[in-house]
Amino acid sequence: MSDPSPKGETDLNTLLAEMTPQLDEQIWVFLTLTARDHALEEKALMRFDEEEGATYILKEADAEGYDATFRCQRITLQIHSALEAVGFLDAISSALTLNGISSNVVSAFYHDHLFVPVEKTAQTMSVLKALSASARE
């Protein structure tokens, strides 16, 4: 069965110039468990299995009673970036690094999602908007 969706943008300047960061007001947290938890899987935005355990990204309220970490908000980069695009996340990561902002990135089929500390969300949005504006010049 073929995928009817477009393959996504690969041109770095276009990706930067046309990205629109969209803030999710939800507070998210990360947690890890050595064994999979099927009840959490139903609530998780994402689960990723590693040798040491399963990592979950959950709404903060859904992680109550667990040893969760990294209170963050998600910023979705609203441009369909191709999975094989080169340099997009590097440019974003470099701009965030220059501003002392950590991020955890999840790349999905259509968009890249940045999980940034709650206290750095406004600054991150400003950095991303400035990066996009400079690419349009």
Side-chain angles (χ1 to χ4, degrees), residues 39-91:
L40 280 183
E41 287 180 21
E42 292 181 20
K43 298 175 183 178
L45 176 65
M46 186 198 84
R47 185 199 84 241
F48 193 90
D49 294 324
E50 298 179 278
E51 186 176 311
E52 299 86 353
T55 298
Y56 296 86
I57 300 176
L58 296 161
K59 293 178 182 175
E60 186 174 46
D62 290 339
E64 203 168 299
Y66 291 91
D67 188 19
T69 188
F70 194 64
R71 289 184 78 239
C72 56
Q73 286 181 278
R74 173 177 55 165
I75 298 172
T76 299
L77 304 176
Q78 293 293 337
I79 186 162
H80 181 183
S81 55
L83 292 169
E84 56 276 336
V86 175
F88 184 45
L89 292 176
D90 180 56

Side-chain angles (χ1 to χ4, degrees), residues 7 9 15 18 33 36 60 63 68 72 93 96 98 108 121 130:
K7 296 298 180 194
E9 183 60 58
L15 285 165
E18 294 183 11
L33 299 172
R36 287 175 61 174
E60 186 174 46
C72 56
S93 181
L96 296 179
L98 289 173
T121 302

Side-chain angles (χ1 to χ4, degrees), residues 5-20:
S5 62
K7 296 298 180 194
E9 183 60 58
T10 58
D11 180 73
L12 178 57
N13 195 65
T14 300
L15 285 165
L16 292 170
E18 294 183 11
M19 74 166 168
T20 304

